[in-house]
Amino acid sequence: KANKRYYTSLQTESQQRQEHFKKQNDVLHEYGCELEDEFTKIMKQIHNYRSRKQNMLTQLAGLLDKGAFSHLQASLAAKARDE
């Protein structure tokens, strides 16, 4: 009888631990998904800002020296039409 109680107690403890780990895993997974979504948003913002910066630099270069940078203005205008 003592052995049976011991093994039953051991089984109960093991099941409780498994449930606890499963809950922790669910929370960790949800957190990982949220981090991934946030990272994607940030990377899109970075890409958008870099694109804006490049467009501004191209426009500025065109204003400063129209002759040397006229080809950049034409490519910028074509890119704006595509968007």
Side-chain angles (χ1 to χ4, degrees):
K1 265 187 160 177
N3 273 345
K4 185 174 181 174
R5 274 186 287 176
Y6 172 74
Y7 287 113
T8 303
S9 171
L10 201 58
Q11 182 180 9
T12 304
E13 182 182 342
S14 175
Q15 288 172 341
Q16 288 173 346
R17 282 187 179 188
Q18 286 178 0
E19 288 174 18
H20 181 71
F21 287 141
K22 185 180 181 326
K23 288 178 185 176
Q24 280 184 334
N25 187 43
D26 290 343
V27 169
L28 186 60
H29 176 71
E30 184 66 29
Y31 182 65
C33 289
E34 288 181 22
L35 283 177
E36 188 175 351
D37 291 344
E38 193 63 28
F39 179 77
T40 301
K41 286 180 195 175
I42 290 170
M43 290 306 293
K44 284 181 182 178
Q45 285 179 336
I46 289 171
H47 178 70
N48 187 24
Y49 291 144
R50 284 183 179 165
S51 178
R52 281 185 183 175
K53 177 185 173 186
Q54 188 60 42
N55 287 342
M56 287 182 196
L57 288 174
T58 302
Q59 288 177 351
L60 182 62
L63 291 172
L64 294 176
D65 190 1
K66 292 189 185 277
F69 296 104
S70 61
H71 67 284
L72 293 177
Q73 280 297 106
S75 68
L76 183 61
K79 185 186 263 187
R81 278 193 311 257
D82 292 341
E83 292 174 357

